[in-house]
Amino acid sequence: MSQDSAPPPYLRVAEQLRQRIQSGELAPGALLPSLAEIREETGYSGTVGQRAYAVLVDEGLVVARPGRGHYVRSQEERPLLVRRPRVAPGGGSPTEAVLAAQGIHARWDSESTTARADRRIADRLGITAGDPVMHTSYVYRADGEPVQLADSWEPMAVTGGTLIVLPEAGPYAGIGVADRMRHIGIEVGIPVERVTARGAARAEAALLGATPAAPVLAIERTYYDQATGRAVETADVVLLGSRWAAEYGTRPPTA
C-alpha cells in the first residue's frame, strides 16, 4: 500500500485500540490510555487521539466520561428503564424512587447557582426576563452509568429566603420538587410535560457517554401551585433514548 493510500493516523490509532478491545486485552469497563499516553506511545498529537476516540465512541465500543477519560463500553444489553412523572407524596426524589422500584441504584451530581431568567425560562415560569432564579444542573446515574440530565429553574420570588432555596442542600435536600414545595405550603399536583424526540447535542452526549446526535427524549416539565396557578419550577429533562421509556397515567387497582 502506498503512503498516499494508507489510512490517516487517527484511523490507525483507532484500529490499534479496537483490536485490543476486541481481543479482550482491554475488558469492559477498563480505562483506556489517556491522550498523553497515546501521544507518548505513537508520537501523534493529542488531536489524533481525540479523533480516534471519537470513532470508537461512534462505533459504540468506547464511552467518554468527562474529566475521567475513556472506558471500554460493556456490550451486554442494558435493561430498559421506565420513567413515571410523579411518585406518591413523601416518596422523595421521583427519579430515585422510580429506579429503586426497578432494582436500580440511583445517584446524581448537581450544581446550584443563582441566575437571571432568560426569555425562554421567564415565559415558562410566568415571570419577567432577568428575574432571579435558582438554576440547578443534574447528571443522574443508574448503577453508576449516566442515563439522564436535567436543568431546573425555580423563581427566587417563591423559594428565596426559605429552607428549600437550595434543592440539594439544607434540611430538605434531594426530596424532589413536590415534597420540597409542600414544606413552604405549596401543593403542586402532577407536572405539565411536553415531550419531544431529537438528537443529543455534543455536550449532552459527552455527559451521557453517548455518541453525538444519539436519540434522546427531551422533556419540558413545569410544576404549578394548585391554589394560585403560578409556575413554581420548570426543567429541561434529557433522557437517553436507548435506556428509557416514558410511562404516563395510573393503572386502576384490580378487582
Side-chain angles (χ1 to χ4, degrees):
M1 179 182 294
S2 69
Q3 187 168 352
D4 290 341
S5 62
Y10 77 94
L11 288 181
R12 280 180 264 168
V13 173
E15 175 60 20
Q16 292 169 7
L17 292 168
R18 187 185 298 110
Q19 290 179 0
R20 294 176 66 186
I21 293 170
Q22 293 175 340
S23 70
E25 177 187 346
L26 292 169
L31 176 63
L32 290 157
S34 67
L35 297 179
E37 289 169 334
I38 289 177
R39 183 169 59 247
E40 184 176 339
E41 292 173 5
T42 67
Y44 295 130
S45 69
T47 301
V48 168
Q50 288 176 330
R51 294 186 66 187
Y53 276 132
V55 169
L56 298 175
V57 168
D58 286 343
E59 293 177 355
L61 291 175
V62 168
V63 59
R65 301 281 188 241
R68 294 161 54 194
H70 293 81
Y71 294 79
V72 179
R73 182 190 290 277
S74 171
Q75 299 304 304
E76 294 180 4
E77 185 175 351
R78 294 167 293 174
L80 188 66
L81 307 172
V82 178
R83 176 183 181 273
R84 299 176 183 88
R86 183 71 188 272
V87 298
S93 163
T95 300
E96 182 179 28
V98 164
L99 291 176
Q102 299 171 69
I104 305 293
H105 172 68
R107 68 177 183 86
W108 58 91
D109 299 321
S110 66
E111 182 178 0
S112 293
T113 58
T114 55
R116 298 285 176 178
D118 62 20
R119 173 61 60 187
R120 181 177 70 95
I121 298 304
D123 287 347
R124 283 162 55 176
L125 289 172
I127 61 178
T128 302
D131 281 357
V133 292
M134 182 62 67
H135 174 211
T136 305
S137 296
Y138 296 89
V139 179
Y140 291 90
R141 292 180 169 81
D143 288 342
E145 186 173 324
V147 293
Q148 175 179 323
L149 309 176
D151 281 280
S152 165
W153 296 267
E154 296 177 355
M156 293 294 286
V158 173
T159 63
T162 74
L163 293 176
I164 71 164
V165 65
L166 292 171
E168 301 300 326
Y172 305 117
I175 62 173
V177 175
D179 285 346
R180 286 176 49 249
M181 291 296 168
R182 189 171 293 112
H183 282 289
I184 59 172
I186 295 174
E187 293 291 334
V188 297
I190 297 174
V192 175
E193 295 193 341
R194 181 174 182 267
V195 184
T196 57
R198 59 172 174 80
R202 184 167 293 276
E204 293 169 340
L207 289 170
L208 290 168
T211 61
V216 297
L217 295 177
I219 301 170
E220 292 182 4
R221 181 198 71 200
T222 305
Y223 278 100
Y224 295 89
D225 182 339
Q226 297 297 287
T228 66
R230 173 179 58 175
V232 297
E233 189 263 5
T234 194
D236 289 334
V237 181
V238 177
L239 305 175
L240 191 58
S242 62
R243 294 301 312 274
W244 285 96
E247 183 175 281
Y248 294 89
T250 302
R251 181 176 177 175
T254 57

